[in-house]
Amino acid sequence: MSSRFSTHSVTCFPQELERQYSPSRWSLRMSADDVIRAHVAALKSGTEKARAVTQTLIDVPYGDGDREKLDVYLPSSPSPDLPLVIYLHGGYWQFLSKDESGFLAPPLVQKGVVVVAVGYSTAPTGNMDLMVSQVRRSVACVIQQYSHISGLYLCGHSAGAHLAAMVLSTDWSEYDVSPQIKGALLVSGVYDLQPILSTYVNEPLKMTGEVALRNSPSHFLSQLKVSSTSCDIIVAVAQNDSPEFRKQSEEYFKKTKCFCPQALESAGLAVSLEDVPDTDHFSVIEQLADEHYSLTQLLLKMMGKS
């Protein structure tokens, strides 16, 4: 954990809460509208490049829904110790898709890692319960189809980090699989959904307090302790994320670490917090396309591929 990391409690009036949960308004690089346009363009171009330079399987179904499909990016020379990374995209549960989610594949694939980008039904077509169910089913499907992999890892950004954290707290007895998730990189996520209930973010989601509570991973750490006891968790946050976003990451990190002290020592679960310098909510994930980027290196190290 960086010594520079400092997050203060944020008491927000409604207007300020809207600003805190508007990541584009906190970028120092460009205006709010411009940073979102640039972000989508970067993810699209990165995914186009990934599809051009790697072997891919596009639109592999994991369910019957229109968005219940996977894109798989494969190394050219598969080896017996093949790790697999499942990537869950951001977009505030409302936009983006797997079609902009392959940008991180090239530096991982060239190290012998399979990358799977997951599609799910964003709002308003999908609701929070459905999205959480979909990503859990996608993991179950991957495990069933790729049983020979040496290790399963998760990576998620923003809304995708929330969904990845929900996967870590899954009761897998309902899915007839027992995935041994070895690592998770959670980038600039939201781990308690209750603060966003009264913001613009919830307008298409239409979450009630009950829905927000049952889909907040910070409230299901007892299940994480059971389901993900051997998982190495990296909670990453951008230096220029809003104070409220930074608080979300810091509190999830603290709760996870405090809730699982025995697991930390005896079962292998390790939790760390990374404050990524000179990044905002968008550049912190875009740079995973760069093999030299700190988070790319941490992800590869987690898999023993650095």
Side-chain angles (χ1 to χ4, degrees):
M1 176 178 168
S2 169
S3 60
R4 290 172 30 257
F5 198 100
S6 176
T7 303
H8 302 288
S9 179
V10 181
T11 303
C12 297
F13 294 105
Q15 188 174 359
E16 176 59 17
L17 198 64
E18 293 268 336
R19 194 172 79 92
Q20 290 285 332
Y21 282 101
S22 299
S24 59
R25 296 172 68 177
W26 294 84
S27 174
L28 303 179
R29 294 181 292 145
M30 56 189 82
S31 71
D33 289 343
D34 286 345
V35 78
I36 291 175
R37 280 193 288 267
H39 180 58
V40 174
L43 300 187
K44 281 185 175 179
S45 63
T47 299
E48 289 170 1
K49 175 187 174 184
R51 290 182 175 184
V53 302
T54 64
Q55 181 182 347
T56 59
L57 302 171
I58 305 298
D59 293 334
V60 178
Y62 68 85
D64 297 327
D66 290 343
R67 288 288 189 101
E68 295 180 356
K69 294 180 173 62
L70 312 169
D71 290 347
V72 185
Y73 299 81
L74 296 160
S76 55
S77 302
S79 62
D81 63 336
L82 205 65
L84 186 149
V85 173
I86 292 177
Y87 179 71
L88 301 173
H89 68 80
Y92 251 164
W93 308 277
Q94 300 169 39
F95 74 108
L96 295 177
S97 70
K98 69 175 181 59
D99 296 328
E100 299 86 31
S101 299
F103 64 95
L104 73 163
L108 301 179
V109 168
Q110 71 179 6
K111 291 284 190 175
V113 178
V114 178
V115 176
V116 176
V118 176
Y120 56 88
S121 300
T122 51
T125 304
N127 58 41
M128 190 61 70
D129 287 329
L130 175 61
M131 287 183 263
V132 170
S133 171
Q134 285 176 324
V135 296
R136 286 171 167 169
R137 285 189 283 113
S138 76
V139 172
C141 177
V142 167
I143 285 294
Q144 289 163 347
Q145 292 198 23
Y146 294 91
S147 57
H148 61 285
I149 61 172
S150 64
L152 177 66
Y153 300 82
L154 302 178
C155 179
H157 172 238
S158 196
H162 157 265
L163 293 171
M166 287 299 289
V167 169
L168 293 177
S169 291
T170 301
D171 179 357
W172 291 109
S173 64
E174 302 175 25
Y175 295 86
D176 297 323
V177 295
S178 298
Q180 301 300 309
I181 300 172
K182 291 189 174 182
L185 174 60
L186 310 177
V187 184
S188 291
V190 177
Y191 307 103
D192 182 355
L193 300 181
Q194 294 172 100
I196 68 172
L197 283 172
S198 60
T199 71
Y200 74 98
V201 182
N202 194 36
E203 290 173 8
L205 294 168
K206 295 180 171 56
M207 287 188 296
T208 62
E210 182 183 358
V211 171
L213 186 62
R214 69 169 171 255
N215 290 294
S216 290
S218 63
H219 294 279
F220 292 95
L221 297 179
S222 58
Q223 186 62 51
L224 180 145
K225 188 176 178 180
V226 172
S227 302
S228 305
T229 51
S230 299
C231 185
D232 184 3
I233 301 171
I234 299 173
V235 181
V237 65
Q239 179 183 1
N240 295 318
D241 262 321
S242 73
E244 190 72 8
F245 258 93
R246 289 170 64 82
K247 178 184 166 193
Q248 283 265 359
S249 288
E250 185 182 45
E251 291 192 346
Y252 182 72
F253 162 73
K254 285 181 177 177
K255 285 181 181 179
T256 304
K257 192 159 188 175
C258 290
F259 200 87
C260 307
Q262 293 179 335
L264 284 167
E265 296 177 2
S266 63
L269 188 146
V271 188
S272 60
L273 182 64
E274 292 293 328
D275 182 16
V276 188
D278 303 319
T279 57
D280 58 32
H281 189 80
F282 307 96
S283 61
V284 71
I285 195 70
E286 293 166 5
Q287 293 181 68
L288 275 181
D290 179 0
E291 64 180 304
H292 303 295
Y293 178 46
S294 61
L295 292 186
T296 310
Q297 288 298 310
L298 282 174
L299 188 54
L300 287 167
K301 184 179 179 181
M302 185 186 283
M303 295 182 285
K305 293 289 186 176
S306 58

